[in-house]
Amino acid sequence: MDQRGTRGERARPAPDGQPTLWQAADDLPATDMPFQVAFLALGAARGLGSKGLHALVREHREQLGRVWEAPPVRLAVELAHAKVPAARKVADEISTYRSELLKTARAKADELTRRNIHLIGPSALPARLAELPGGPLWLFVEGDPRALYEGPYVAVVGTRDITPDGVRATEAAVRTLAAYPITLVSGLANGVDAVAHQAALRDGVRNVAFLGHGIDVVFPAETADIRARIVRTGGAVASEYLPGEHYRKAQFVQRNRLQAGLADVVVAAEGQHTGGTAHTVRFAATYHRPIIGFTWPGAGDLTDLIDTEPTGQLIDIFTTAGRRTLDALCRSTADSYGHTTFGLSLVERQLGREVELRALPPEDLKRLRQRLDDLLGQEDGGDAG
């Protein structure tokens, strides 16, 4: 079955003689109703539910507005095929309150636009997400949607109950990837997520954050400023949940599959094998993404899970060898996208700021040049901090 129904199959009549939408979607005229309006209106229809909404979007994609132009009898058959409980009642609800639902949806669409929130339909989703088994059919995105299309991506994830060593490990991971044109992916939760986003913002790294609730819900409240800075600096905050939808545990699990799916590499900074980050690790393994786990004395036992995954690798991020291993992986990931990479880009930026802010005598610059000559003369290239 393709995205419009079974190809080559003639429409079978419904019990009352009307052809169904499901087998004969093509016999409906194209609609010029914006996908966002049709979607928001259906999302507000009582009784439809998430499964029914998914079924309709999967069937009609950007032509979702055709649902609003169908007679109630045909719509009822469509909803019944989508296994929507009380399909006839829901069809009557949609038909009876059509004007009100569409009016409210248009107002909501205008509000989201004013807030710089976009709705990406199924045909325009980033390929890395659209191709996932059980991937999203739509995404609400606050900020710059281009952040979801311009990789590479490294996800840095972990426990909400972060330890001081976990903070150091997370910051070291972000500092390592910050030298390259990489976008950080995380979940805007407290703990490792918040530390990763803050470190990325500090180091000039673009951020993508996936939410486990509606795009207009801020949770936890402590991350409100981080979220605003992500958007302000060219990043994106994304959710597949309807506006106003509050968080549930299962939704955070589903959010984790988007982090793993968009990422080229998943870094689990700290966590337990029974915690939420374990879901991200398992999704990453299913999608064949490289998984890096950090290990140090006292680190959580999430490393036991990572060590059993075929794409898993454990490193001690607090050693020179561990930092260089992660650096090589980040650089090769950026290289694979055709980017020009420069491992000293952070140093270059900092040097430019120092030169601009300080009244440097010529002797200081000569001393810097001599130091660079000394480093070039070292066979091992110097020691990593």
Side-chain angles (χ1 to χ4, degrees), residues 155 157 260 264-268 277-278 280-294 302 305-315 326 329:
V157 297
D264 294 278
V265 177
V266 172
V267 175
T277 307
T280 310
V281 169
R282 293 188 180 98
F283 282 125
T286 299
Y287 305 150
H288 307 291
R289 308 292 196 250
I291 308 163
I292 300 297
F294 293 159
L302 182 64
L305 173 63
I306 296 171
D307 197 34
T308 64
E309 298 294 352
T311 60
Q313 181 180 4
L314 301 180
I315 65 173
L326 182 60
L329 180 58

Side-chain angles (χ1 to χ4, degrees), residues 99-119:
S99 297
E100 292 89 338
L101 288 167
L102 289 174
K103 180 180 179 180
T104 302
R106 291 188 181 99
K108 187 65 176 180
D110 290 342
E111 176 193 341
L112 294 176
T113 298
R114 288 193 298 271
R115 293 185 55 181
N116 193 25
I117 295 174
H118 317 264
L119 176 58

Side-chain angles (χ1 to χ4, degrees), residues 120 125-129 139-141 144-151 153 183 185 206 208-210 235-238 262:
I120 301 176
L125 287 168
R128 291 183 71 82
L129 296 178
L139 280 176
F140 289 93
V141 180
D144 191 344
R146 290 177 296 182
L148 292 163
Y149 298 84
E150 300 171 349
Y153 302 93
T183 296
V185 177
R206 184 168 60 180
V208 167
F210 286 107
V237 178
L262 187 63

